[in-house]
Amino acid sequence: MEHQFRTIIEPFRIKVVEPLGITTQAERRVALEAAHWNPFLLHAETILIDLLTDSGTGAMSAAQWAALMIGDETYAGSRSFFALERTVREITGKKHVIPAHQGRASEHILFSVLINRPGLVVPANSHFDTTRANVEHFGGEALDLLPPEHQDPRTDLPFKGDIDLVRLAAVLRDRPGQVPCVMMTVTNNRGGGQPVSLANLHAVRALCTEHGVPLLLDAARYAENAWFIKVREQGQAQRTVREIAKEMFSLCDGFTMSAKKDGLVNIGGLLCVDDDALAEECRTRLILTEGFPTYGGLAGRDLEALAVGLVEALDEDYQAYRHASIRYLFDRLDQMGIPMMRPPGGHAVYVDAGSLLPHIPPHEYPGLALTNALFLAGGVRGVEVGTVMFGQPDPNGGPDICAPIELVRLTFPRRTYTQSHVDYLVEVLAAVQRDADSLRGLRVVKQNKVLRAFSAWFEPLT
Ligand code: F0G
């Protein structure tokens, strides 16, 4: 008889290794001071485990590295483009496949076409920062419609990426002719990497059809979303992730994708639509900024690696392992009483730094204090997703206008770290938790007006 084992293993073995920089606490303090207490300004060699982002930071497979070698660098009509086009059509069913150098480039092209007059609004479950920025750049309004219970970190609901259908219906009804598209982010990064259910997507599709409005996906993490549907949505367990992904894509009129996530590549993006006229306009814009439509700012070899990565992301052993490794960290931290966004998302664990460090008020950046403490204690880099990232300096010089919640995202690069790295991470978090009372907030020394998180200088408060 065949045995069943409980341990979900990494479904790969390691062929190439990259040494990690092991540093002392004293060295890390020097590095953090030199980075002005902003982890974005750290140099990579000082970081042991980098959980800043899952974007472009994953490991490619042997098949992807092999595919690089057959990349066709023909300027126009590259063989590699047609290989990618075939794969994308098979997975998504979309007619027009337009490559771009990364997600935000495809967003820029799309919204440069769709937002063609004043007064337009783009509803979404939550816009990722770059989608919002692109909608606003062209004069549109980016409207997030997540129900309040999906924003509460404590509610343990299976599909906290679902949009508020009542409010969406109201927008579509009250603003006829002003909605160029509805955008659904799968999984919903801004909302904690939470998935969108098929039921919600069907309902959004029905509303969009009723009002004659296109539905687009931000499909950066489409395969992780499909996996969540398989394991959490009623009646889906017997279907393959690939079938579920196909259904997700069949419900939309097009999508943008940062291929740096579920494309399993280090660089790349896609813009895919069904509509011929829209595709034509997008291709014309693309020539201005990205290059020719058969390479879209990428090398031919990048297109080949992406074609392989998109398929590998649908592998169910891979998805089972990926979600198990995130759940593993979540469960260990939960046992330790570390407050987190529930349930764990598809690409990250979000620690609720505001609750962990209640003595640090939001305008003294508890998320940044925690991020820095993790780096000092163990060389781990997470990312603050709180008032530094989403708050705003008070125009009258008072305390910042704060974000609704102070989180630290511990983001998992794909196929990169092993269980012992996660065990180490748990120890680092335990050490920081023990010293939590002694942690202090920070103040801004220097900042830009926009996107300050990436460049601001800080100083610890004593
Ligand atoms: N959409 C989503 C949902 C994203 O998470 C990102 C990037 C983008 C679009 C933009 O894609 O970076 O290829 O231009 N998210 C990264 C992150 C940066 O860390 O979450 P890009």
Side-chain angles (χ1 to χ4, degrees), residues 36-94:
H36 303 281
W37 301 86
N38 182 347
F40 273 104
L41 303 180
L42 287 168
H43 290 207
E45 64 272 16
T46 63
I47 299 159
L48 184 62
I49 298 183
D50 199 354
L51 307 181
L52 182 76
T53 179
D54 63 328
S55 184
T57 51
M60 292 210 296
S61 65
Q64 285 180 291
W65 283 106
L68 289 181
M69 285 306 295
I70 55 169
D72 173 8
E73 304 305 339
T74 303
Y75 187 96
S78 161
R79 210 173 50 234
S80 302
F81 168 74
F82 294 106
L84 175 67
E85 186 186 55
R86 247 188 332 271
T87 302
V88 174
R89 282 184 178 159
E90 272 166 28
I91 293 175
T92 70
K94 289 292 153 264

Side-chain angles (χ1 to χ4, degrees), residues 239-313:
R239 300 179 72 200
T240 64
V241 168
R242 196 180 176 116
E243 284 166 349
I244 295 169
K246 188 84 178 248
E247 183 171 343
M248 287 164 55
F249 285 114
S250 77
L251 294 169
C252 71
D253 300 286
F255 64 90
T256 58
M257 182 192 289
S258 166
K260 302 171 72 170
K261 284 83 171 174
D262 280 350
L264 293 172
V265 287
N266 304 115
I267 194 72
L270 288 171
L271 169 57
C272 300
V273 295
D274 282 327
D275 186 80
D276 296 336
L278 176 60
E280 199 51 44
E281 275 195 79
C282 289
R283 285 200 186 96
T284 306
R285 302 286 166 121
L286 174 131
I287 294 173
L288 277 180
T289 54
E290 295 289 284
F292 196 75
T294 58
Y295 74 84
L298 295 167
R301 55 179 173 271
D302 297 330
L303 304 173
E304 292 282 353
L306 175 55
V308 178
L310 287 168
V311 175
E312 290 183 355

